[in-house]
Amino acid sequence: RRRYNDWQKFADSIDPADFPATLELLERGGAKKLRDPLRAGLLAKWAETDPAAAMAYANAVTGRSSHDMAIVAVMRGWAEKDSAAALAWAQQLPPGQLRNQVLSTAIGALASKNPQAAFDLMKSAGLNNQSRYGGLYQVFNAWAEKDPAAAAKAAESVSGQQRSQAFQAIASSWASKDPQAAITWANA
């Protein structure tokens, strides 16, 4: 935890104009095992101030795994600041694993601001069940933080294992805020 906090302080201290040079230094040294996650952290931070430049950099990263990790990192930072623009960009990607990852990342960021919109997007985005699985918990957990009754009503429209996951997220969030109301809802 301390290392992460130290890393976050370092990333926060970088002037946005210095991200390209900082990333260039990172690319020249260090093991791939360390370089990829450090690059991802820097790109997410850079995307908060200049998503176009950060995305251009990420697109130039070589190696499929490293490239995809870089794109998802940019999406994470971009979606935190401007979820509408980030989602518009993500939706233009061709169908596939990268698009699913990017959309899931953007939906997760949107969930904290507008869980209803995140849920609607999740339903319409054409994500596979695996991509929807983690995102669904995140959406319903955030929704229950704001309006547990509305979240519960929306969860009724989901079926199968995803419905169970949605209800688990709601119950967990609701119980932490208002245990008695959560018990009453669970017993209804």
Side-chain angles (χ1 to χ4, degrees):
R1 179 84 181 144
R2 184 171 182 268
R3 275 190 197 170
Y4 175 79
N5 290 338
D6 290 344
W7 168 248
Q8 197 60 48
K9 284 180 191 174
F10 170 72
D12 289 344
S13 73
I14 299 172
D15 184 280
D18 293 333
F19 277 111
T22 304
L23 284 160
E24 180 61 34
L25 285 172
L26 177 66
E27 300 297 346
R28 282 194 221 146
K32 181 181 178 344
K33 185 170 127 176
L34 295 174
R35 188 174 51 242
D36 283 353
L38 292 175
R39 180 192 305 117
L42 289 171
L43 285 170
K45 192 71 180 162
W46 190 12
E48 293 175 8
T49 57
D50 191 350
M55 191 60 77
Y57 187 95
N59 270 316
V61 171
T62 59
R64 182 173 177 214
S65 174
S66 296
H67 173 266
D68 290 359
M69 180 186 270
I71 297 292
V72 169
V74 170
M75 180 55 59
R76 188 174 61 247
W78 188 6
E80 287 295 325
K81 294 296 181 182
D82 185 356
S83 57
L87 284 165
W89 184 89
Q91 289 176 313
Q92 58 80 35
L93 289 172
Q97 182 179 351
L98 178 60
R99 182 178 191 271
N100 288 345
Q101 288 176 314
V102 167
L103 279 171
S104 293
T105 299
I107 288 168
L110 180 60
S112 64
K113 296 174 184 130
N114 187 341
Q116 171 73 58
F119 179 60
D120 292 343
L121 179 61
M122 183 175 278
K123 291 189 302 186
S124 68
L127 295 173
N128 62 29
N129 284 343
Q130 182 179 4
S131 295
R132 288 179 67 175
Y133 190 76
L136 201 65
Y137 189 91
Q138 192 173 9
V139 166
F140 279 99
N141 192 298
W143 202 341
E145 287 283 321
K146 294 178 187 277
D147 186 351
K153 184 171 171 55
E156 292 173 7
S157 70
V158 181
S159 61
Q161 188 175 3
Q162 292 178 347
R163 181 181 184 139
S164 175
Q165 184 190 33
F167 283 134
Q168 287 173 1
I170 294 164
S172 174
S173 180
W174 204 345
S176 70
K177 276 176 81 171
D178 186 351
Q180 191 56 49
I183 290 170
T184 301
W185 167 70
N187 289 328

